[in-house]
Amino acid sequence: MAREEQRALRFDILTLFPEVFGPFLDATMLGIAREKGLAEYHLHNIRDYSRDKHHKVDDRPYGGGPGMVMRCGPVFRCYEAVREMAEPAGRFVMLTPQGRTFDQALAREFSRSDRIILLCGRYEGFDERIREGLPVEEVSIGDFVLSGGEAAAMAVVDATVRLVPGVLGHRDAAASDSFADGLLEHPQYTRPPEFRGMTVPQVLLSGNHAAIARWRRAQATERTRRRRADLLNTQTATTEKNDG
Ligand SMILES: C[S@@+](CC[C@H](N)C(=O)[O-])C[C@H]1O[C@@H](n2cnc3c(N)ncnc32)[C@H](O)[C@@H]1O
């Protein structure tokens, strides 16, 4: 169900390293979103749900091979306890390089949720039964392998929260971002008008808002064509929508 405008988007982050999130969640946009009551971040240490006397959460892989695998017990118990801490159940996202690639469309979907529970892996990843026995949605932040899901969770939280209505200062700030309408963003300039011989395009100094909008649209389209033609192939219709 769509999130009500005034209700905070709740994140529960399941991790073995909650301490790495502190400054990141406190700073700038994410901290302001929390202060405005638009987002909440709850950290949960998976190790607290281990029943092993040494609080172990990993073990050797059956069949042999390098590294360690995250055990079912602590992850199941952690998820089940956290799930009961609030309503609704929300979306349960397993960060894994094997998942659906996170993109702006998924960030927008997440920003309309009430709650997102993020599961961060470590070591060689998860016992397969975690995928089978829990309602996970597998999400990757790209075709590379991180040593843990924490950096991936931070990327997901950041990209999602800035799309929550009311978080960004300017109403349209996210609307012109890259990917918002299927294009990369147009070039941006600020003062001074000339720096080391490089000048700001005259049209941006003209005060002619229609001409500026046309220039930006053309630049965004051209930049996308040169750098990410794959985006144009899937978004041809939307590229024309603001051309007047
Ligand atoms: C070293 S990786 C394990 C990779 C695993 N052996 C595999 O090949 O799928 C440890 C953890 O980092 C996180 N991770 C690594 N790369 C990621 C990516 N591209 N997107 C999201 N999470 C990632 C996952 O939570 C993963 O369980």
Side-chain angles (χ1 to χ4, degrees):
M1 203 168 75
R3 200 172 49 79
E4 288 166 28
E5 194 101 339
Q6 294 309 312
R7 206 157 137 204
L9 167 53
R10 175 181 171 119
F11 286 93
D12 290 281
I13 303 174
L14 283 44
T15 170
L16 291 169
F17 297 96
E19 65 275 13
V20 307
F21 286 90
F24 177 76
L25 295 174
D26 289 341
T28 66
M29 183 268 302
L30 295 178
I32 291 167
R34 174 164 47 197
E35 278 166 28
K36 285 182 172 174
L38 297 170
E40 287 177 16
Y41 319 111
H42 300 267
L43 298 165
H44 310 277
N45 194 334
I46 298 168
R47 202 174 294 283
D48 294 343
Y49 295 86
S50 170
R51 291 187 180 152
D52 181 278
K53 68 173 183 230
H54 302 296
H55 300 289
K56 266 188 71 154
V57 291
D58 59 320
D59 215 329
R60 291 188 301 276
Y62 278 123
M68 303 292 268
V69 174
M70 283 183 73
R71 293 167 59 168
C72 290
V75 174
F76 271 70
R77 284 190 291 277
C78 182
Y79 169 71
E80 285 158 359
V82 169
R83 157 69 194 89
E84 293 304 316
M85 288 175 190
E87 292 295 340
R91 297 175 77 149
F92 181 33
V93 174
M94 170 192 273
L95 280 326
T96 163
Q98 303 180 26
R100 163 184 176 184
T101 305
F102 186 66
D103 60 10
Q104 194 69 4
L106 191 52
R108 199 170 302 116
E109 253 185 58
F110 282 176
S111 73
R112 295 180 184 134
S113 310
D114 292 302
R115 184 181 187 195
I116 298 170
I117 303 178
L118 296 168
L119 173 60
C120 305
R122 278 273 158 177
Y123 316 119
E124 284 312 309
F126 303 100
D127 185 306
E128 189 63 18
R129 291 165 292 186
I130 294 169
R131 291 183 163 89
E132 287 169 19
L134 291 177
V136 298
E137 206 176 316
E138 298 186 43
V139 171
S140 164
I141 63 159
D143 289 346
F144 44 82
V145 178
L146 300 162
S147 52
E150 289 74 18
M154 289 183 198
V156 169
V157 171
D158 188 295
T160 300
V161 169
R162 66 195 303 284
L163 295 177
V164 170
V167 169
L168 291 187
H170 190 284
R171 190 168 52 87
D172 294 328
S176 69
D177 277 344
S178 296
F179 311 113
D181 60 358
L183 296 178
L184 301 180
E185 193 181 50
H186 52 76
Q188 295 273 27
Y189 298 86
T190 186
R191 291 188 301 171
E194 183 178 342
F195 181 76
R196 296 189 180 179
M198 297 176 283
T199 53
V200 174
Q202 199 54 40
V203 64
L204 297 178
L205 309 173
S206 69
N208 182 337
H209 297 297
I212 291 171
R214 275 196 303 278
W215 181 87
R216 286 182 166 162
R217 195 71 189 169
Q219 289 287 321
T221 305
E222 177 55 17
R223 177 165 282 204
T224 309
R225 191 188 62 71
R226 273 189 279 111
R227 298 184 185 187
R228 291 292 305 275
D230 58 306
L231 294 175
L232 286 177
N233 294 338
T234 53
Q235 298 285 341
T236 314
T238 57
T239 61
E240 302 299 325
K241 77 174 185 236
N242 289 337
D243 279 354

